[in-house]
Amino acid sequence: MSDGTVAVLDVGKSNVKLSAATAEGQVRETLTLPNAVLSGPPWAHHDLATQNAFVLEGLATLARRHPLRHFVASGHGSGGMLVTGDPDEGGTGLALPMIDYEQPLPPGLDDAYALQSGSFFDRGSAVMMAATHTARQMFWAETAEPRAFALARWCLGIPQYWAWRLTGRAVSEASILGAQSHLWNVRDRAWSPIVAARGWGRLMPPMARAADDLGPIRPDLAQRHGVPPLRVHAGAHDSSVSFFRYQAAGLTEFVLVSTGTWIVCMADRMDLSRLDETRGMTLNADMTGDPLGGVLTMGGREYQAVAGKQPEGARADPTAIARLIAQDTMALPTFGTNDGQFPGSAGRGRIRGPAPKTPEDRHALAVLYTALLAVTCGDMLDPARPWVLDGSFLRDPAFAGLVAALRPGHTTLTAPETYGIAAGAALLCRPPGLAPLELTPAKPLDLPGLTSYATRWRNLAGASR
């Protein structure tokens, strides 16, 4: 299984990425498509027709440049897909369009859903913003489009949709179900009560593990699009597969701080009684279905709200950060629609103190702000464990330097790849065994007054509730 190259599809909220990676997790090439949302009807939904063309054409393109042997997909946890029995129907196999989870819900639907959503462990999270959660999306679809819903054959997570689309074989998988779908009780390894109560068991295919080989791409599909007969694996939740990258290297009892559209922190071997759904804490699952404590906040959107438009490759100047600290300029949560760790703060984000006057200062403030958010999240899981930082925020060295400086006396490591999702997913396609990874200690930024600034920020952020 370890020969050749792995095609890794990563469907994020903002972008869809298709990469060629070695079975040891080294990314060789990445193709990117914005994850477009169409206005409707019947609701705002992702453009799966364009995604299908991108994936199939991209696989053919990468196969001409790399010795592809495997395919595996990852995706975010709020993307349930109701499909027909035919993966070719309409060119996407969808029974209903895939709901964009950031849109508002119809009046009354949230209250009706909350009455049947179960306990925290049934849900794995609080009932979050807008149209988040596959179970709530299913409830919306069932009530708004009952005829189409009745004709649906399967409900699939994003990774398993692509496995089904390519092979025709439908499976369920624990890490994507454990990513706030509200369909799976991770602690009990069982379907949540809402599945039986609403008769949704007929839509749930049998369980598989993320690494399971579901067979080759369908011969007719491969021939039609010029794609080799890749072996297709079941796939996994993006943040959980990123965590797996470090588990595969032998790490245990650590906190992963993964960054992108969301800041997602995860920790293994946690006391589950510490999880607090009112502060953005979650219960996720790893590749074996074991529990992972989680904390999440929409850090990428918070960064954008503060930074505004920035040039590609912008880097924060430590001198600018020091100046912001000295003048006590702060970004306080929360600018977006997700409370995160600060209940009641959504839509109340603000700049306190002298406003940043230049794009460079806005970028510096945004990096400082997201570092504070990341440390807040990680501390809720375990402030003393070793932390590993990965994801897109590491493209700016100041982010890791700030996180390390904000937790003096504790180990803060950075991953060599800024794309840990693709690396972790590729490792699912190799035989079991350690996949060594050299992590680098983050060098703390030396910024006078940072500790007292962080204390004031925490007090004011809490007060903003």
Side-chain angles (χ1 to χ4, degrees):
M1 285 179 61
S2 62
D3 60 328
T5 303
V6 182
V8 178
L9 178 65
D10 173 24
V11 181
K13 181 61 176 69
S14 304
N15 294 289
V16 181
K17 298 177 182 178
L18 182 65
S19 300
T22 70
E24 288 70 41
Q26 297 170 324
V27 177
R28 299 302 193 198
E29 183 179 358
T30 299
L31 309 176
T32 303
L33 174 77
N35 196 349
V37 173
L38 306 177
S39 59
W43 40 63
H45 57 273
H46 289 278
D47 185 356
L48 263 292
T50 296
Q51 282 189 35
N52 269 267
F54 167 76
V55 170
L56 292 165
E57 291 168 9
L59 287 173
T61 297
L62 291 177
R64 290 193 291 269
R65 299 200 279 259
H66 306 277
L68 298 183
R69 298 291 182 270
H70 304 271
F71 173 93
V72 63
S74 67
H76 64 81
S78 278
M81 324 274 265
L82 288 163
V83 302
T84 69
D86 178 2
D88 282 330
E89 187 167 329
T92 63
L94 293 177
L96 280 163
M98 176 189 170
I99 292 175
D100 169 30
Y101 72 76
E102 289 192 275
Q103 68 189 294
L105 292 165
L109 190 140
D110 210 18
D111 291 340
Y113 174 73
L115 294 173
Q116 53 194 316
S117 63
S119 69
F120 169 74
F121 285 110
D122 293 328
R123 291 181 269 105
S125 76
V127 179
M128 293 167 60
M129 63 178 193
T132 310
H133 314 303
T134 302
R136 186 164 52 175
Q137 293 167 9
M138 293 175 70
F139 180 59
W140 183 3
E142 186 177 31
T143 54
E145 299 287 338
R147 290 186 180 179
F149 187 89
L151 294 174
R153 179 64 188 93
W154 303 115
C155 178
L156 304 173
I158 290 173
Q160 290 71 51
Y161 165 79
W162 288 103
W164 171 80
R165 178 80 176 89
L166 295 181
T167 68
R169 183 176 169 189
V171 298
S172 299
E173 188 274 329
S175 73
I176 199 73
L177 288 169
Q180 298 80 61
S181 75
H182 289 190
L183 295 167
W184 183 250
N185 186 315
V186 172
R187 182 191 62 182
D188 297 344
R189 294 179 181 254
W191 296 108
S192 299
I194 194 172
V195 174
R198 299 205 64 85
W200 292 347
R202 70 174 184 86
L203 295 168
M204 305 301 161
M207 297 295 292
R209 288 202 173 190
D212 284 355
D213 183 339
L214 303 185
I217 291 181
R218 293 179 288 129
D220 60 323
L221 194 67
Q223 183 175 11
R224 191 158 69 240
H225 294 278
V227 178
L230 309 179
R231 305 299 299 186
V232 178
H233 299 257
H237 176 225
D238 50 13
S239 297
S240 299
V241 84
S242 184
F243 196 90
F244 173 70
R245 174 69 187 96
Y246 308 102
Q247 290 177 310
L251 271 67
T252 59
E253 297 190 30
F254 68 103
V255 174
L256 174 64
V257 181
S258 192
T259 60
T261 300
W262 291 85
I263 294 173
V264 181
C265 297
M266 289 183 167
D268 57 341
R269 302 185 183 184
M270 270 199 65
D271 175 2
L272 301 185
S273 68
R274 292 180 52 201
L275 300 178
D276 180 355
E277 64 178 302
T278 69
R279 298 192 62 203
M281 300 189 82
T282 62
L283 180 57
N284 293 75
D286 69 10
M287 298 302 97
T288 67
D290 287 340
L292 293 174
V295 185
L296 50 82
T297 193
M298 220 165 186
R301 297 292 167 80
E302 293 297 291
Y303 166 84
Q304 291 171 358
V306 176
K309 188 171 180 60
Q310 292 288 333
E312 186 71 25
R315 292 192 172 193
D317 182 351
T319 302
I321 298 173
R323 184 169 60 251
L324 293 166
I325 291 170
Q327 66 191 32
D328 219 29
T329 296
M330 294 181 178
L332 294 170
T334 299
F335 294 87
T337 57
N338 176 54
D339 284 340
Q341 289 59 62
F342 306 97
S345 67
R348 297 174 62 186
R350 67 189 193 278
I351 305 298
R352 178 186 178 276
K357 297 178 179 178
T358 66
E360 292 78 12
D361 282 355
R362 287 197 296 274
H363 174 65
L365 181 60
V367 173
L368 176 56
Y369 173 45
T370 51
L372 288 160
L373 290 175
V375 171
T376 299
C377 291
D379 279 350
M380 292 174 65
L381 292 175
D382 196 314
R385 283 188 186 189
W387 289 12
V388 177
L389 311 181
D390 78 3
S392 60
F393 286 15
L394 267 65
R395 293 170 189 156
D396 190 325
F399 176 80
L402 280 164
V403 172
L406 288 164
R407 51 190 316 263
H410 301 296
T411 300
T412 303
L413 304 168
T414 62
E417 311 112 348
T418 57
Y419 194 10
I421 293 170
L427 289 174
L428 291 172
C429 303
R430 68 192 290 274
L434 288 180
L437 176 68
E438 186 173 343
L439 300 173
T440 304
K443 183 179 179 181
L445 284 180
D446 184 8
L447 295 168
L450 176 62
T451 300
S452 57
Y453 175 94
T455 300
R456 290 192 302 279
W457 181 88
R458 283 191 290 268
N459 291 336
L460 288 164
S464 72
R465 300 200 292 267

